[in-house]
Amino acid sequence: MTASEAHGAIDAVWRIESARLIAGLTRIVGGDVGLAEDLAQDALVAALQQWPEAGVPRNPGAWLMAAAKHKAFDQLRRYKMLERKHQQLGHELEALQETAVPDLDAALDDHIGDDLLRLVFTTCHPVLSTEARVALTLRLLGGLTTEEIARAFLVPVPTIAQRIVRAKRTLAEARAPFEVPAAAELAPRLASVLEVMYLVFNEGYAATAGDDWVRPALCEDALRLGRILAELAPEEPEVHGLVALMEIQASRLRARVGPEGEPVLLLDQNRARWDQLLIRRGIAALERAEALGGALGPYALQAGIAACHARAHTAAETAWPRIVALYDALAQLAPSPVVELNRAVAVAMAFGPAAGLEIVETLASEPTLRNYHLLPSVRGDLLRKLGRLDEARVEFERAAALTRNAPERKLLLERAAASAP
């Protein structure tokens, strides 16, 4: 095996095993995610040094775990940690040191589901800011490097590095327990976890800034985390609802971009390019959410809307009245100006542009939408359909000035030019 082949294999193994490894180590070191990540990184360095010559071991996850525990044991002896927490760590590591590598892996497997679930709730702890939750989750659960996270969100590398360091410090200072929240706290904490995954996916599906209209890798990371969570929390309908939404939305990624990287809007997409496997997976996840009973939550309702599009073989076959009904339910359950704007689009498709524009006009003074480029974009589209071209052009130009995404800006300016008399 060449060095480049070994490094490629190590990168792949790290993406697969890092969350599992850090989760198990976090349990062992008493909930200190910072120390757990340091130990995992030490194991990665050891792999980079040894695997190019020795080859990738038969069970790379067990090898990395054994290396990490060995490193922890060495540190314990070298620095003679005397704090109570480190003494407890030492007792556990001394016992584990006597265990053979296969048994280490078996022991880890006994806890892995619980450990991963605990790690998810830890990285998305409400004591952290939303930005910190996203960065830490992608780092510890997504296996992304600081540079990859910074590049994905168009943020300087030092900024992301500081967020991650501060997040780990904040968790340590808050003494955030490494556990699944009690029943009384589960719902709001789960909402935080789902929000992080949704934010990551949306940034991949429709990048807020930069030269790329979509970033599929971020969608893939969010989907992978969502699928893991769905298996760890099989009785939570909103988890399946979010997975369903992401699966179906991800099915359109190839069709959302044209040959030159230009955006292709939903009604103009070649539906033959939609990924049918992802659609089937998404509809199956939605059915799992529905089968659990009770009223559908916001993510499941949005998945239902996405499923209406997925089931339509052509844009003309879209069940717009059904989509309006789902948006009505969503607006009652989770009211927001953005939901109302999306509902206006559905109303326009179902009942005509004048009906949609009537809703949009009520949002004109909404403070939270003042710099939201999709408000003038939607208004421009409805005005264009009503033949009010001069007004439409102004709205498209305003939308273009507000967006920070280069391909989207170009599209909006093209629509403005097409609306000129």
Side-chain angles (χ1 to χ4, degrees), residues 58-59 61-67 96 98-107:
R58 181 181 59 83
N59 192 332
W63 191 101
L64 289 169
M65 177 58 76
L96 289 167
E98 301 173 0
T99 311
V101 169
D103 292 331
L104 282 174
D105 195 49

Side-chain angles (χ1 to χ4, degrees), residues 264-276:
V264 181
L265 302 180
L266 176 62
L267 298 183
D268 300 323
Q269 289 172 15
N270 178 0
R271 299 189 178 212
R273 299 192 69 199
W274 289 4
D275 190 319
Q276 294 301 313

Side-chain angles (χ1 to χ4, degrees), residues 288-309:
R288 288 181 72 180
E290 293 170 342
L292 289 168
L296 296 180
Y299 293 117
L301 287 171
Q302 291 178 77
I305 293 167
C308 287
H309 292 297

Side-chain angles (χ1 to χ4, degrees), residues 3 14 27 131 135 145 175 310 314 328 363 400 403:
W14 180 253
R27 169 175 52 81
E131 295 80 5
T145 66
R175 298 184 179 179
T314 65
D328 287 343
L363 300 172
T403 185

Side-chain angles (χ1 to χ4, degrees), residues 17-84:
E17 298 285 353
S18 60
R20 180 178 183 265
L21 178 64
I22 293 169
L25 289 168
T26 302
R27 169 175 52 81
I28 291 169
V29 300
D32 189 335
V33 293
L35 177 57
E37 190 195 9
D38 289 344
L39 293 170
Q41 290 288 341
D42 288 339
L44 178 62
V45 170
L48 289 168
Q49 293 171 342
Q50 298 180 37
W51 291 7
E53 292 186 9
V56 177
R58 181 181 59 83
N59 192 332
W63 191 101
L64 289 169
M65 177 58 76
K69 289 176 179 175
H70 181 72
K71 182 68 174 178
F73 186 71
D74 283 349
Q75 286 184 0
L76 175 69
R77 290 187 301 185
R78 186 182 309 119
Y79 297 111
K80 299 180 179 179
M81 303 179 201
L82 298 177
E83 292 97 349
R84 182 176 179 182

Side-chain angles (χ1 to χ4, degrees), residues 207 213 263 373-374 400 403-413:
W213 172 236
H373 70 284
L374 291 182
T403 185
R404 294 184 294 134
N405 184 276
E408 187 173 32
R409 183 182 303 111
K410 181 180 178 183
L411 173 66
L412 288 166
L413 291 174

